[in-house]
Amino acid sequence: MKQEDEGSDGDPGETLKRAIRAQRQRRKKKLLERSLVQEIHEDEDAGEVSTLQDFSANRASAEKTDNLMASTKPPAGSHIGLRTQHSSSSQYLDTLQEKLRAARSKVERLQQHEASVEPASRLQRLRDGDHVTRFDREQVDPVSAEGGEDPPALRSRVKFREAARRVDKDLPTAEEAYNFFTFNFEPDHPNESEKLGRKRQKQRETTEEDRGEAEVEEDAEGEEDNQDDNVIQSEDAPLVQNENDLFVIDQSPQDFLVMKRAEYVGYRKRLQRDSELLFTPSLRTVPTSVKLPENMKPRFLEDEGLYVGERPPVSQTNENILENRILRAEEGKKWFGDDGKIMALPDPIKESSTRPPLFHMEGELHPGLQTVYRKALPSKYANLFLAGAADPEGDYQLDVDISGLVFSHHPLFSREHVLAARLAQLYDQYLTRQHNNLTGHLTDKLNGLRNALRNMMNIHGEQGLSLALRQRVSEYSFEVRNTRQLRDAEQEKDRTLLKSIIKVWKEMKALREFQKFTNTPYKLYLRRENVDRASDERKYEEEILTEVLELEAENEEEYQKKLVEYNKQLEEWKLWRKKQKAIRKTKKKKKKKGQAQDDTEEEENQDLKESEPEGPFEEGSLKPEPPERPDLGSIEQQVREKASRIRRRAGEAILIPELSASGSITATELCPRAEIARREDVSRRSLFIKILYNDKEVSRTGSCSLNADFRVHFGQIFNLKILNCPQSIILQVFEEIGSSCSLLAQVFGPVPDPSVVTGRAPIEKFEFSSNQRVMFDHEGVGSDVPISFEPDGSNKVILLTSGQLLCCMSWGAGDDNAPLAPPVSQQPGGVRRGLGHLDAVTSIGASGLYDMKKISEWATQSRLDPNDPKNASIMQLLKVASSGEVTAPEYFRLEHLQDEFNFVSDEELDDSKRFRLLRLRNQGVAEFRNYKLVPALESEIPDKVLQEYEKRLKDGEIVDTKEHLDSHRALVAKYLQRIQESVINRSILAKHYFQLPDLVVEEEIPSIGILGINLFKLTEPKRPLKPQRKDRKKVTAQNLSDGDIKLLINVIRAHNVPIRKPQSNKPGQSSQSAIQSSDSYLSQAQVRPFVEVFFQRSVLQTTTADGPNPSWNEELQLPFSAPNGDYSTTSLQSVKDEVFVNIFDEVVYEIGPNKDRGSSIHTQIEKHWLGSVKIPFSTIYSQSKIDGAFKVNTPAVLLGYSKELGSYGAYDHFRKPSEGTFIRLFITIEPQLVPGESIREKFESQEDERLLQASETFEREAAQNYPDRPCITTVIDLNGKTVFITRYIRPLKPPQEFLDAFPNNPQEATTLVARYVSLIPSLPDQVSFSGTCDLWSTCDQFLTLLAGDEEEHAVLLCNYFLFLGKKAWLIIGTAIPEGRTAYVLTHEPSGYFIWNPSSGQCFEWDDPFCPLQTVGCLVNPDNVWFNVQQKTSPPNMSFDITKSKLWKPFFSRFFSHPGLSSIQPEELAYRHADKAAAVELQDRIEKILKEEIMKWRPRHPTRWNRYCNAILKQFLPNLELSRGQDVAEGHRHELQSLLGDYRIAGFPLHLPFSEIRPIIEMVYSTGVHNIQASNVEFALAVYVHPYPSSVLSVWVYLASLSHL
Amino acid sequence: MATSNPSVFLLTVNGQIEGANFPEYDNLYCKYCYVYGHDWAPTTGLEEGITQITCKSSQSHRLIWNFPLETTFKSTNPFGWPQLVVSVYGPDVFGNDVVRGYGATHIPFTPGQHTRTIPMFVPEPTWRLQKFTGWLLGRRPEYTDPKVVAQGEGREVTRVRSRGFVTVSFNIMTKDMKKMGYDTGPLIPSNGLPATPD
């Protein structure tokens, strides 16, 4: 305080400084106050205020003079803020502030302990300069303003300042203010203030912490700050003063004793601090203008046409953060490109992989990338487990006895050790040799041989040798020579061995002497065995002598041989020589002759001759050199030399080396340092052995230290209980030095033979070695290091660590002393090492068992014991085989044990009917598929059972022309059958692929709507008064039998039945009585129709009704039996039977009156066929019920009947009279059968995947929204491939003759074409392909097969129509009775027409009797449209496909037509109509029919009216020409006129021709043959009209004639 | 049938569906049927049947049906030996009859007394939601035909959950098996455990 007073006047800088100091002190005090509230002195406070006041007054003046915008801030809590003001308003403000200050000081004193301050904000405000508002606000709400609440706008405006502001919040010092204003701010360094703030903070902290020294320090710091900030002042003197003064003056207990609360930094504060220290870039997008240099517009290179790579994808947020961050940094703008974005290289990630595709087309692949075929190897661990190992009895025990380890070289070997080891090795070798004593053996042998030879010579003498003897002698001598050579070799070896032993021992001795200590206990004694010199010498000489003799003999022999050879050669040569001479002579003569002729030539010849004697002579036969006589003297020399080399000299003592380990080793203390180090090293080492069984460590020995002699003794036996087959036993030798251990070597132990039992097995030595390189700086020689024993360092050797492991592996012995070994058979092949000679199969392979040669070879090789009973069978076999009685089979058998597993022999299997039956049933052959109870005994199987099957098989090959009547059709039938079979096979296969819905019934997941409805249903009454019809329960066909299934046919009513023609109208004369009698009937009823249903040869009929529109309402039940009693779905689907519904007219004739007796009247009932409806069973089966009005197929001509309706009611004119007869039927099967489902097998396709998907979606959507409308977009062709439907539609040319027939009437051509198509027999796919799938054949296939479904007909018809220039579509829909079917729609000027392709009929679209019930979709070559109208029946629909509200197109704007090519051929090839064949066929049909009819009338004679036949035959071609149009009248008239007195009932039947059977059936169903009258006669005519491509139209005219 | 030279052999199955152990459910009944091959034909007895509904008692948690089985089969061929297929049904929370288990066992080959405990299982819904809706609507997944469990084909497409056990005791008699050459082991019913309904 005093200082303050002292320096109260002076320059403003001084003043300010003082003010700052005062401020600080005050602040300090106040802090103290705050911490020690009770210590506050009021007076002090008051003084404070007063000083403050005059201080501020002072400052006010200073402001005026300097125009400094200053704001001092009182210490925390006292908010006497001086605002920055422009000088103009400062005056006024000052006065205001004075007032304010006075008023506020009170308040603030109260608030003192709430230390809410706001320094920086004020500073800021100063800078921002919105003082007016500030001021206003302060007036209005001073507290809030003072509370440091920044207006949010401000806070957000300069965020980074916040840190500084917060720091200063409670401590806006005067110094700070001073600094702020005096400091030269550079505009680019806004952070400076922050720095300041930080410094200040530091100060504050120090003050707060140690208050006592704070004053001084702070002052100093303040000075420093000031210096930093380039404030000029006189520093030193006041500083020192201050220091002293302060120290003296402010000494009070409070200065030294600081009591304060434990420091706690609040969370907020901490956050604040963090935010101060950390810089958090904003997430906001940086405006482009900031990022670019001033006044620059962003420039987009890409827009200017330059290539700009794609930037790597970075999220916008990250980019923003980065930009904000960069902008803060120095030269931040350099990171931005011209376009205001961060500069970035183009995205380095390539779009496609750069690795070359691995799958080239074959050939070009780099050999390194070629896939290599590797044979499948059996898994290493498969079948490793021993059977029975798990149970306690079957435990197998492998004993591993590790007895010890001997190093033959070790890195720690000293040189002496190396030598010792070598010596030991050599000695070992010596011992073995000695033990084997090969030399002795050979010597003995040699002596024996010599003796034998000598004896032989002695006995027989030289000359008396027979040839055989001579042979033997030479053999002996040969043997002697061999043996001698062998013996010499052995002797030499012995000798060298001995020599080297001695040499090594000498080396060792030298070494020991040299190094002056001994490391090894080895000592070699050479025992000298003196021999009797004389005898030894004699022996030696003898030996040499014999040998020399022998050699001489040998040489002599050789010489003789050579001599013989030489003589021979000499002989030859002489001969040749003579010849040469002769030749030369002749030549010379010639020469003389020819000399005169030509000189030059002669010269040449001369030359030739000159050279001749040498040339051939040299080449051809050299004059043989006589062989040299062997030098006998030199032989002896040689022998002696050799003997001295390899043999002990005569009389020399025999040296026997003896190695003993009895020597003493020099004690360690006596050894040189290096040796001591080595020995120490040795003692540090220890070794242990790990046992790995099948590559798994199972056990390990304890570690034993290495002895000085480099032997380790373990002596441990490990019993391994094994579960796995033994694959390998590995013993790993580890060396331990201290705590580290290293693998020295691995020893692979053999898996012992099962016969090797513990106790009996000898300890074996396994060599091991390691190639580790070890070097020592002591005496140890190391390993893999060259060492030399020569003083000059030559003759280096490299020694590797090696040694022998002494161990033994064997099988544990069980209680009964049996080895606990797994049986051999269980061990995988590779382990059966060493067993080969025991097991024939392993040694020569299984297939070898049938090769006698191999067996005998093996038997000799393995030296089978012939007396072993185990081998008896093999010996037997061999004996037989060698005697040649049994010949080995010359075939190879794959499974040579098959015989033993065969149930019965193959012949028996084939012969037995029972087995055959069982097998056929298992194969699913149609006849036997459901054969029940195959008899257990052969004898009970009837022979017939298989006969039919065999017959069928036989028939398969020959074409039955009789049944087919047409060779082409027969072939087609065969072809069809083959397709059928393949499809059935496929379906049978497919049946074995189950899907979940096949096995499990599961509710579909209901949509929310359905769920709601279901929930709603819970509230419904359980037994409603008007119950709804529920579906019948469907029966799966598997447990049905004959008689269970019935066909229910409800015959309801018929319309428009033809009525009888009044006979009176007949032009011809007829019996009066007949007319009368019939008249009476006619007046009553025009017709009395009844219905007869004919199915599977059972017939039922309804009652007779009256009139042309009868109503029966009768239910007929017909039994149904499936073929072969097979009620499976497939079999039911292939039932070809048809239901015939025939309408008959019951005609009653009275035949009484014209007989003699008038009293009784006989009535005769005849039934006249009026028409029929034919419904295939398959249709009923697949649809489960058929309900509707069927058009009755009435014959074109019905003799005696007229279709013109006589008297109809008032509604007559509503109907068209020509539309024919209709019958309403309801047909179903009881119980309801589950119709077969088509295969779900996904067929392969060549269509585009996208198209297939689209079509699937299309169909699925259609099925979801309109479940009862068939929608087809893809179909399956005959090859079983999925094909898009529009590919089937393509304009195709019909046969030319149809086009030519009516060149100027296209309408006629249309009907002709339709008729042609309808003449192709129809055969449902369900029948032909047993319902498995709907196959669509192309038109050419269809015309070849001449059979097809409605689809094929429709497609063909549609294609023809398109060719004829019509607008035609295929309709996919449902119709009666076919069910799902295809029709054809055409658009004519007069409207739309619907064509039934299988009948050729045409309907107008609004015809109520059109069989087409629903229209699902339309198809033309370009598109498919699905019906999305409300109604589905044609009369209620619009066929305008352009309206997309009514017809949903498949190809639309979204999915355009990909340009599918048609699969139809470009042109159909038609074969010409074969008239001759047709005539032939016609005759045959007629003959067959006549026979059949006679057969059906077994009890009555069947008379044929030939005349009538002829007439009828004439009618038929006309009928064909008129295509069945109504020409009835003409016929009848003609007939009546021709035949006169007959009552004629008859009709022509028209059929497309496929087989004879349907014709017969048809004729039978009309019941013409049933007329029993005695005087009846029949007439039958058949006409076959051929159309191109063997399409045949068959007409059968049937008539019955009865005499009147 | 000539005794000396029989053409069929007979298999008589007497026994009973004794009961079941379904810890979670009560009020169950059981249906049974036989599945057999082509060469088999039932001669007498019921081929399929349905038991009464049984509740658990307070003491025991076993469901007892004690439903007799008496069927005789004749056959010419042991292939397709009959299997007994049992399926257990019971009401769920809402009173709908739902299936509680399917199971099958071969009729024992050897004559004598046998007891079989058949583990039962039910097909699982394909996914969770279906499980829930199935539970709600009382429509659990069921096999199209209980006989499915007697066949091996196509089972791989299903997923099942095990549920409980049904105990069936059999008394088997055969006739003429040996004469036809089929030896089904010792005639002494030594291996048959005494059937003690607990």
Side-chain angles (χ1 to χ4, degrees), chain A residues 1152-1165:
Chain A
N1154 29 345
K1155 297 287 171 184
D1156 306 336
R1157 285 167 291 170
S1159 55
S1160 63
I1161 294 171
H1162 294 265
T1163 54
Q1164 188 182 346
I1165 299 172

Side-chain angles (χ1 to χ4, degrees), chain A residues 1526-1568:
Chain A
D1526 212 34
V1527 286
E1529 280 314 295
H1531 276 223
R1532 203 165 57 104
H1533 292 305
E1534 219 170 313
L1535 272 176
Q1536 286 294 344
S1537 62
L1538 287 169
L1539 294 165
D1541 279 351
Y1542 289 102
R1543 192 172 67 229
I1544 306 169
F1547 43 83
L1549 295 171
H1550 179 234
L1551 290 165
F1553 178 78
S1554 58
E1555 282 178 60
I1556 189 75
R1557 201 177 70 96
I1559 302 176
I1560 299 168
E1561 288 281 318
M1562 186 79 179
V1563 170
Y1564 183 83
S1565 73
T1566 59
V1568 171

Side-chain angles (χ1 to χ4, degrees), chain A residues 182-206:
Chain A
T182 53
F183 190 65
N184 288 333
F185 284 105
E186 287 167 62
D188 337 6
H189 291 285
N191 284 353
E192 204 59 42
S193 70
E194 201 178 312
K195 219 197 273 172
L196 257 177
R198 225 172 274 162
K199 267 181 189 158
R200 250 171 262 133
Q201 159 116 15
K202 225 196 275 169
Q203 286 173 3
R204 207 180 317 134
E205 271 166 16
T206 42

Side-chain angles (χ1 to χ4, degrees), chain A residues 921 934 940 992 999 1001 1003, chain B residues 7 39 76 139 142 153-154:
Chain A
R921 184 176 71 180
V934 173
E940 288 173 20
H992 291 275
L999 292 176
V1001 184
E1003 279 290 291
Chain B
S7 60
D39 295 326
T76 57
R139 303 260 189 89
E142 281 179 39
E153 217 174 32

Side-chain angles (χ1 to χ4, degrees), chain A residues 1304-1319:
Chain A
N1304 39 17
N1305 188 353
Q1307 200 57 43
E1308 281 301 313
T1310 314
T1311 44
L1312 265 181
V1313 163
R1315 181 174 163 77
Y1316 175 70
V1317 173
S1318 73
L1319 279 175

Side-chain angles (χ1 to χ4, degrees), chain A residues 572-812:
Chain A
E572 270 173 18
W573 180 76
K574 275 178 182 160
L575 213 69
W576 179 81
R577 180 85 188 222
K578 266 180 199 165
K579 260 187 206 166
Q580 285 295 320
K581 274 179 183 165
I583 290 168
R584 215 181 290 173
K585 270 179 192 164
T586 47
K587 275 185 182 168
K588 270 187 180 166
K589 276 178 197 167
K590 259 188 202 166
K591 223 197 284 176
K592 278 173 185 170
K593 274 183 189 172
Q595 216 160 17
Q597 293 171 355
D598 199 345
D599 271 6
T600 45
E601 201 177 310
E602 187 239 352
E603 282 287 312
E604 279 172 15
N605 274 344
Q606 193 96 32
D607 280 353
L608 274 172
K609 251 123 234 181
E610 227 68 62
S611 59
E612 233 177 330
E614 277 98 47
F617 183 73
E618 291 285 305
E619 289 161 28
S621 51
L622 204 72
K623 188 180 176 194
E625 295 284 317
E628 261 181 62
R629 184 155 277 279
D631 183 9
L632 292 180
S634 71
I635 285 175
E636 196 179 337
Q637 186 108 29
Q638 277 172 15
V639 169
R640 279 190 189 281
E641 261 175 33
K642 194 181 75 180
S644 66
R645 196 173 70 239
I646 66 170
R647 238 171 275 165
R648 175 171 57 87
R649 235 158 272 133
E652 201 183 81
I654 301 172
L655 284 178
I656 299 170
E658 265 174 35
L659 192 68
S660 75
S662 56
S664 62
I665 296 172
T666 319
T668 316
E669 309 86 64
L670 303 176
C671 294
R673 181 174 288 273
E675 171 61 18
I676 293 172
R678 189 194 68 82
R679 290 198 185 180
E680 272 172 4
D681 205 359
V682 171
S683 61
R684 273 212 303 277
R685 309 231 167 182
S686 57
L687 288 138
F688 67 90
I689 290 170
K690 272 184 189 175
I691 300 163
L692 277 77
Y693 178 78
N694 288 358
D695 295 332
K696 280 178 203 139
E697 183 185 333
V698 288
S699 190
R700 62 166 80 176
T701 64
S703 65
C704 297
S705 56
L706 191 63
N707 290 343
D709 56 355
F710 293 95
R711 282 169 190 269
V712 182
H713 180 73
F714 295 105
Q716 280 179 303
I717 299 179
F718 298 94
N719 301 330
L720 312 180
K721 296 261 179 195
I722 60 168
L723 285 174
N724 292 338
C725 284
Q727 300 270 326
S728 67
I729 302 166
I730 302 173
L731 305 171
Q732 289 181 332
V733 181
F734 280 87
E735 194 176 41
E736 247 180 344
I737 313 161
S739 57
S740 69
C741 67
S742 58
L743 176 67
L744 263 191
Q746 282 197 14
V747 180
F748 290 85
V751 176
D753 287 348
S755 56
V756 179
V757 183
T758 313
R760 275 190 272 157
I763 297 264
E764 284 175 88
K765 287 176 182 175
F766 297 103
E767 301 259 353
F768 66 87
S769 73
S770 131
N771 55 356
Q772 278 171 325
R773 174 181 282 249
V774 189
M775 279 162 103
F776 294 111
D777 46 1
H778 50 70
E779 279 291 282
V781 290
S783 172
D784 202 9
V785 178
I787 50 164
S788 163
F789 291 94
E790 308 292 321
D792 57 347
S794 64
N795 203 3
K796 287 192 175 189
V797 275
I798 292 173
L799 291 165
L800 292 176
T801 311
S802 57
Q804 285 176 328
L805 184 65
L806 304 173
C807 68
C808 142
M809 270 146 275
S810 56
W811 296 105

Side-chain angles (χ1 to χ4, degrees), chain A residues 160-370:
Chain A
F160 73 95
R161 295 268 165 86
E162 237 169 45
R165 179 174 56 77
R166 276 195 202 140
V167 166
D168 294 344
K169 214 168 191 178
D170 50 350
L171 283 177
T173 58
E175 171 205 55
E176 174 192 315
Y178 173 78
N179 283 342
F180 184 76
F181 290 108
T182 53
F183 190 65
N184 288 333
F185 284 105
E186 287 167 62
D188 337 6
H189 291 285
N191 284 353
E192 204 59 42
S193 70
E194 201 178 312
K195 219 197 273 172
L196 257 177
R198 225 172 274 162
K199 267 181 189 158
R200 250 171 262 133
Q201 159 116 15
K202 225 196 275 169
Q203 286 173 3
R204 207 180 317 134
E205 271 166 16
T206 42
T207 42
E208 270 167 8
E209 270 162 31
D210 42 5
R211 215 202 62 115
E213 296 150 17
E215 277 181 335
V216 185
E217 272 177 29
E218 202 176 354
D219 242 340
E221 263 176 48
E223 296 297 341
E224 277 162 30
D225 279 357
N226 290 348
Q227 276 170 0
D228 281 352
D229 301 342
N230 305 328
V231 179
I232 314 140
Q233 44 183 305
S234 59
E235 296 125 310
D236 288 346
L239 193 74
V240 174
Q241 266 182 357
N242 281 351
E243 209 168 312
N244 295 334
D245 289 350
L246 278 171
F247 219 80
V248 177
I249 289 164
D250 284 346
Q251 265 184 357
S252 67
Q254 287 158 9
D255 286 339
F256 300 106
L257 255 181
V258 181
M259 290 172 71
K260 54 176 190 172
R261 278 174 286 185
E263 195 183 345
Y264 164 71
V265 183
Y267 175 68
R268 287 254 174 104
K269 216 168 173 188
R270 211 163 66 222
L271 275 189
Q272 281 172 5
R273 257 187 233 175
D274 284 354
S275 59
E276 171 218 340
L277 292 167
L278 305 174
F279 166 63
T280 316
S282 154
L283 295 181
R284 299 212 189 151
T285 321
V286 183
T288 325
S289 55
V290 179
K291 295 186 275 187
L292 288 174
E294 304 257 324
N295 301 327
M296 264 244 320
K297 280 201 170 175
R299 180 175 159 220
F300 295 103
L301 290 174
E302 200 166 11
D303 291 349
E304 290 169 25
L306 295 171
Y307 172 73
V308 177
E310 202 181 321
R311 298 168 68 88
V314 179
S315 81
Q316 189 58 45
T317 347
N318 285 347
E319 207 170 316
N320 288 342
I321 291 175
L322 184 65
E323 282 178 1
N324 277 316
R325 154 82 185 73
I326 287 176
L327 274 178
R328 290 284 150 258
E330 273 184 41
E331 296 180 40
K333 281 178 188 171
K334 75 172 180 187
W335 292 102
F336 292 98
D338 290 341
D339 55 351
K341 286 186 169 180
I342 298 176
M343 286 187 281
L345 290 171
D347 195 352
I349 297 166
K350 291 192 183 175
E351 286 203 352
S352 56
S353 80
T354 46
R355 184 198 287 188
L358 274 180
F359 300 105
H360 281 298
M361 300 314 285
E362 58 274 344
E364 294 147 315
L365 207 57
H366 184 268
L369 296 174
Q370 214 80 263

